[in-house]
Amino acid sequence: MTLRELQEIIQATFGSKDARRGVEGTFMWFMEEVGELAAALRAGEDREHLRHEFADVLAWLATLANIAGVDLDEAVEQLYGSGCPKCRCCPCACVAAKP
Amino acid sequence: MTLRELQEIIQATFGSKDARRGVEGTFMWFMEEVGELAAALRAGEDREHLRHEFADVLAWLATLANIAGVDLDEAVEQLYGSGCPKCRCCPCACVAAKP
């Protein structure tokens, strides 16, 4: 699935509710899912459970991006398409950054 | 860009550092970026700035997924590929859920 397809599915499925809720309310939902991901990772849940929590966080990030008018595909392509955004190397050759 | 391509870029660029750092340390970096996204959304930063923050959050989510052995593409396809995971409709027909 491309990032654009994901944003389109989220928009088609939840777009009208998302627009009514706005950025602040949506951020609260996003954070709830981030918390559930943290709990699942900490507890060492199985792959199926983790997959579910990662999907929810990503779906809510896509929702936020839809509301903010940001194309996630364009965003990651621009920043990470050539490897590390700082040293522009792949693998990253930064010594201090991102330890 | 597909989600799989994103995970591959992140793995090739940062994989060895990410593996050394592990889940807990990586989650701290992820949360730092979530905080920067919150600040940018709250401040109403311009599209270019928001794009940067969304890309960073997504890149760190991909890093976490790499460490946890989760395929984000498979994860969202499974949960959101048919629309709403609860009512299986697109658009979502749930009355109470996800207000």
Side-chain angles (χ1 to χ4, degrees), chain A residues 33-83:
Chain A
E33 296 299 339
V34 168
E36 289 182 18
L37 175 61
L41 287 169
R42 192 199 52 75
E45 297 286 358
D46 63 24
R47 189 71 49 85
E48 185 59 29
H49 188 138
L50 287 174
R51 203 182 280 139
H52 185 119
E53 299 304 343
F54 272 102
D56 279 342
V57 170
L58 187 49
W60 281 100
L61 187 66
T63 300
L64 273 175
N66 282 345
I67 295 174
V70 166
D71 182 315
L72 290 175
D73 191 322
E74 204 175 77
V76 287
E77 182 64 49
Q78 193 177 326
L79 203 58
Y80 290 92
S82 307

Side-chain angles (χ1 to χ4, degrees), chain A residues 1-4 6 9-10 12-14 16-18 21 23 27 29-31 34-35 37-38 41-42 47-48 50-66 68-85 89-99, chain B residues 1-4 6 9-10 12-14 16-18 21 23 27 29-31 34-35 37-38 41-42 47-48 50-66 68-85 89-99:
Chain A
M1 188 183 289
T2 65
L3 286 159
R4 199 156 293 156
L6 172 63
I9 288 175
I10 297 296
T13 307
F14 304 113
S16 56
K17 285 186 185 181
D18 294 337
R21 190 189 320 104
V23 169
F27 205 87
W29 277 91
F30 170 65
M31 290 310 298
V34 168
L37 175 61
L41 287 169
R42 192 199 52 75
R47 189 71 49 85
E48 185 59 29
L50 287 174
R51 203 182 280 139
H52 185 119
E53 299 304 343
F54 272 102
D56 279 342
V57 170
L58 187 49
W60 281 100
L61 187 66
T63 300
L64 273 175
N66 282 345
V70 166
D71 182 315
L72 290 175
D73 191 322
E74 204 175 77
V76 287
E77 182 64 49
Q78 193 177 326
L79 203 58
Y80 290 92
S82 307
C84 174
C89 296
C90 178
C92 167
C94 296
V95 178
K98 205 188 179 201
Chain B
M1 187 184 289
T2 65
L3 285 159
R4 199 155 293 155
L6 172 63
I9 288 174
I10 296 296
T13 308
F14 305 113
S16 56
K17 285 185 185 180
D18 295 336
R21 189 189 320 106
V23 169
F27 205 88
W29 277 91
F30 170 66
M31 290 310 298
V34 167
L37 175 61
L41 286 168
R42 192 200 51 76
R47 189 71 49 87
E48 185 59 28
L50 287 174
R51 204 182 279 139
H52 185 119
E53 300 303 343
F54 272 103
D56 278 343
V57 171
L58 186 50
W60 281 101
L61 187 66
T63 300
L64 273 175
N66 283 345
V70 165
D71 182 315
L72 290 175
D73 191 322
E74 204 175 75
V76 287
E77 182 64 49
Q78 193 177 327
L79 203 59
Y80 289 92
S82 306
C84 174
C89 296
C90 178
C92 168
C94 297
V95 178
K98 204 187 180 202

